[in-house]
Amino acid sequence: TVQEKSLKDLQVLVKHSFNDDDLITCYSEQGVIYESIVANSEKFKSDLIIMGAQTADRYDYHLGPNTASVVRHCKTSILVVR
């Protein structure tokens, strides 16, 4: 499936980008995005979640609905990148 291929591609990217793949957990599932991220951050005892900001225009960035919900509901530290 597309989901399985995407997860496999992500795992290959992580393996080639980082020396210690024990530090990074990759997973893929379906459902409500922010609920899944919050639940899995607790399940995996995550230290950090990295999420992207949305580009409103060339000079402005804002949090999308999923990033905003994760920031609001998650106890784990979150780094939002643009």
Side-chain angles (χ1 to χ4, degrees):
T1 67
V2 172
Q3 184 177 0
E4 291 167 339
K5 183 181 180 333
S6 296
L7 179 58
K8 187 174 182 176
D9 290 347
L10 178 60
Q11 290 168 331
V12 168
L13 176 67
V14 166
K15 185 173 181 112
H16 287 96
S17 299
F18 299 94
N19 293 330
D20 189 355
D21 52 328
D22 288 339
L23 297 175
I24 299 174
T25 302
C26 301
Y27 74 93
S28 176
E29 65 180 56
Q30 294 178 322
V32 179
I33 295 169
Y34 84 89
E35 289 176 354
S36 171
I37 293 170
V38 171
N40 281 294
S41 72
E42 294 170 5
K43 174 182 171 184
F44 294 119
K45 296 183 170 109
S46 302
D47 295 316
L48 177 67
I49 297 170
I50 302 171
M51 298 187 73
Q54 291 183 340
T55 306
D57 62 37
R58 212 171 111 170
Y59 302 103
D60 189 27
Y61 292 86
H62 61 65
L63 297 181
N66 289 307
T67 301
S69 293
V70 172
V71 167
R72 223 179 354 262
H73 298 286
C74 198
K75 296 175 185 172
T76 304
S77 295
I78 300 163
L79 172 64
V80 179
V81 296
R82 54 181 178 160

